[in-house]
């Protein structure tokens, strides 16, 4: 049954521009002003997080927009403390909108005596009073099962499909989708199906974490406009090396579509100097000035999709409808027309 209250948004400090963009889109959809709840999320001198909300939220359906990106621990604590503040202020329901779920790469024990930190973070989120999570492109789909509360996992591939069809409309028959590793084949196949393109794989072998020893291309990429699809770009080492290997195997050009642009350390410099013609990321993580100013990095917005997903959750309607191209295209009308 739809809620009788209005959806209310509150943001931590992780990505306020995205939160403001979501509020703006929700205002457009509803025909009435939707703003961010007036609050302060600050640090004491010893860096403890302090939250104070200046508006009445009693009985309200609250949505906290807060990716747990770098600094992951600070942003995670902000999320938990905002949730605790809302629960103690008698909010009727608290939903965490986490565009980028930090610690997702620690989703299993890869060797003895290591943690499964993604499960620990899921427990912390549920215990803080959050009743539902809305996120995008979890590093591993099974992370949804780490939560004992409902999790809606949105996908960037429908947005990427719209972008590819717009920017490659004159040469779609030359496009080939590339998975940068065997584990990402399902994600790459999803985009390939949406744009009706063939699929190839770059198989990589690591000597140790962060270093790739060898790469092999599985498939014929000669003369193709290759599009690498992945969920996270951290230091961009693997991505740039994959682009080089594809060019060495006869690719005409290489582009990359990555959901979460972590872009740490030398990432921007590597991408700027690489053979990649373009890197497309979403704004799930607030881009830094170097990322925004890089000539071959482009950012696509997620606010239209998150705004509609929040409205669907609030209204008790389907979120999975946003996986469909026909549902999503009107939300991005004007951008890809």
């Amino acid at each position: 049954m739809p809620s009788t209250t209005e959806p209310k948004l509150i943001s931590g400090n992780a990505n306020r521009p995205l939160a403001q963009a979501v509020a703006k889109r929700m205002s457009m959809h509803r025909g009435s002003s939707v703003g961010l709840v007036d609050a302060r999320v600050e640090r004491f001198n010893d860096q403890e997080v302090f939250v104070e909300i200046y508006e009445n939220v009693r009985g309200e359906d609250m949505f906290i927009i807060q990716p747990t990106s770098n600094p992951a621990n600070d942003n995670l604590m902000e999320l938990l403390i905002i949730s605790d503040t809302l629960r103690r202020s008698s909010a009727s329901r608290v939903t965490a909108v986490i565009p980028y779920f930090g610690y997702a790469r620690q989703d299993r024990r890869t060797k003895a005596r290591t943690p499964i930190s993604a499960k620990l973070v899921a427990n912390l989120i549920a215990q803080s009073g959050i009743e539902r999570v809305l996120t995008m492109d979890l590093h591993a789909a099974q992370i949804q099962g780490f939560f004992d509360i409902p999790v809606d996992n949105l996908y960037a591939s429908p947005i990427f499909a719209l972008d590819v069809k717009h920017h490659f409309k004159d040469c779609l028959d030359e496009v080939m989708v590339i998975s940068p590793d065997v584990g990402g084949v399902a994600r790459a196949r999803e985009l390939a199906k949406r744009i009706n393109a063939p699929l190839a794989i770059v198989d990589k072998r690591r000597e140790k974490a962060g270093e790739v020893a060898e790469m092999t291309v599985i498939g014929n990429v000669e003369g193709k406009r290759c599009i690498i699809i992945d969920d996270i770009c951290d230091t961009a080492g693997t991505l740039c090396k994959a682009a080089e290997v594809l060019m060495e195997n006869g690719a005409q050009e290489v582009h990359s579509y990555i959901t979460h642009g972590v872009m740490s350390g030398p990432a921007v410099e590597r991408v700027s100097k690489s053979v990649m013609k373009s890197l497309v990321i979403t704004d799930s993580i607030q881009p830094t000035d170097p990322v925004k100013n890089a000539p071959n990095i482009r950012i696509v917005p997620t606010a239209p999709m998150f705004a509609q997903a929040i409205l669907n959750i609030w209204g008790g309607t389907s979120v999975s409808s946003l996986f469909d191209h026909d549902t999503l295209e009107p939300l991005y009308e004007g951008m890809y027309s």
Side-chain angles (χ1 to χ4, degrees), residues 1-118:
M1 183 176 175
S3 172
T4 55
T5 60
E6 292 292 306
K8 284 201 170 183
L9 308 181
I10 186 169
S11 174
N13 294 314
N15 196 343
R16 285 192 69 84
L18 175 59
Q20 289 162 348
V22 169
K24 185 176 179 181
R25 290 293 304 202
M26 287 176 64
S27 299
M28 290 170 57
H29 292 322
R30 291 189 54 70
S32 59
S33 179
V34 177
L36 299 178
V37 167
D38 188 17
R40 65 177 174 133
V41 183
E42 296 178 349
R43 300 283 186 281
F44 288 132
N45 290 334
D46 63 355
Q47 297 304 301
E48 286 183 10
V49 176
F50 175 72
V51 175
E52 184 177 7
I53 298 172
Y54 297 120
E55 294 181 27
N56 179 23
V57 296
R58 184 180 297 273
E60 299 288 358
D61 196 357
M62 300 298 305
F63 294 83
I64 309 169
I65 301 177
Q66 177 81 343
T68 52
S69 50
N70 183 31
N73 299 331
D74 288 1
N75 289 331
L76 176 60
M77 282 306 298
E78 281 189 9
L79 173 65
L80 301 178
I81 293 173
I82 292 170
S83 172
D84 185 70
T85 307
L86 292 170
R87 298 305 312 200
R88 292 176 188 278
S89 303
S90 301
S92 68
R93 182 175 67 170
V94 179
T95 300
V97 181
I98 312 175
Y100 170 71
F101 181 70
Y103 285 100
R105 286 176 280 184
Q106 297 184 49
D107 63 324
R108 64 195 185 282
R109 296 186 69 188
T110 54
K111 57 182 76 170
R113 296 176 297 280
T114 57
I116 305 179
S117 303

Side-chain angles (χ1 to χ4, degrees), residues 104-164:
R105 286 176 280 184
Q106 297 184 49
D107 63 324
R108 64 195 185 282
R109 296 186 69 188
T110 54
K111 57 182 76 170
R113 296 176 297 280
T114 57
I116 305 179
S117 303
K119 171 59 177 168
L120 172 62
V121 171
N123 289 344
L124 290 170
I125 287 171
Q127 289 298 315
S128 72
I130 289 166
E131 295 176 52
R132 178 181 288 271
V133 170
L134 174 64
T135 186
M136 185 171 69
D137 272 359
L138 283 170
H139 184 62
Q142 66 266 22
I143 292 174
Q144 293 177 77
F146 292 0
F147 289 87
D148 295 323
I149 54 177
V151 177
D152 292 302
N153 184 32
L154 301 176
Y155 299 98
S157 61
I159 307 173
F160 288 162
L162 289 173
D163 194 272
V164 170

Side-chain angles (χ1 to χ4, degrees), residues 68-274:
T68 52
S69 50
N70 183 31
N73 299 331
D74 288 1
N75 289 331
L76 176 60
M77 282 306 298
E78 281 189 9
L79 173 65
L80 301 178
I81 293 173
I82 292 170
S83 172
D84 185 70
T85 307
L86 292 170
R87 298 305 312 200
R88 292 176 188 278
S89 303
S90 301
S92 68
R93 182 175 67 170
V94 179
T95 300
V97 181
I98 312 175
Y100 170 71
F101 181 70
Y103 285 100
R105 286 176 280 184
Q106 297 184 49
D107 63 324
R108 64 195 185 282
R109 296 186 69 188
T110 54
K111 57 182 76 170
R113 296 176 297 280
T114 57
I116 305 179
S117 303
K119 171 59 177 168
L120 172 62
V121 171
N123 289 344
L124 290 170
I125 287 171
Q127 289 298 315
S128 72
I130 289 166
E131 295 176 52
R132 178 181 288 271
V133 170
L134 174 64
T135 186
M136 185 171 69
D137 272 359
L138 283 170
H139 184 62
Q142 66 266 22
I143 292 174
Q144 293 177 77
F146 292 0
F147 289 87
D148 295 323
I149 54 177
V151 177
D152 292 302
N153 184 32
L154 301 176
Y155 299 98
S157 61
I159 307 173
F160 288 162
L162 289 173
D163 194 272
V164 170
K165 286 178 178 178
H166 176 73
H167 285 91
F168 297 87
K169 57 178 177 283
D170 298 325
C171 55
L172 263 178
D173 57 330
E174 298 175 3
V175 168
M176 178 176 261
V177 176
I178 310 292
S179 173
D181 53 45
V182 175
V185 170
R187 185 180 294 106
R189 189 186 295 121
E190 175 69 19
L191 178 64
K193 282 169 59 181
R194 289 179 184 275
I195 63 174
N196 195 26
L199 177 68
I201 303 166
V202 176
D203 183 38
K204 65 185 177 187
R205 180 170 59 84
R206 290 186 189 273
E207 291 291 345
K208 56 184 178 180
E211 291 185 18
V212 178
E214 186 182 351
M215 283 189 167
T216 309
V217 178
I218 304 172
N220 183 13
V221 299
E222 192 166 345
K224 295 292 186 180
R225 299 177 193 269
C226 293
I227 293 177
I228 301 172
I229 180 81
D230 208 354
D231 64 325
I232 296 172
C233 177
D234 194 341
T235 60
T238 301
L239 189 66
C240 293
K241 190 171 176 61
E244 287 175 19
V245 171
L246 289 167
M247 292 298 288
E248 288 167 6
N249 279 262
Q252 187 181 154
E253 58 189 39
V254 179
H255 304 262
S256 294
Y257 281 75
I258 312 292
T259 307
H260 307 297
V262 177
M263 307 303 284
S264 56
V268 175
E269 185 181 358
R270 281 176 175 170
V271 170
S272 299
K273 293 179 179 178
S274 75

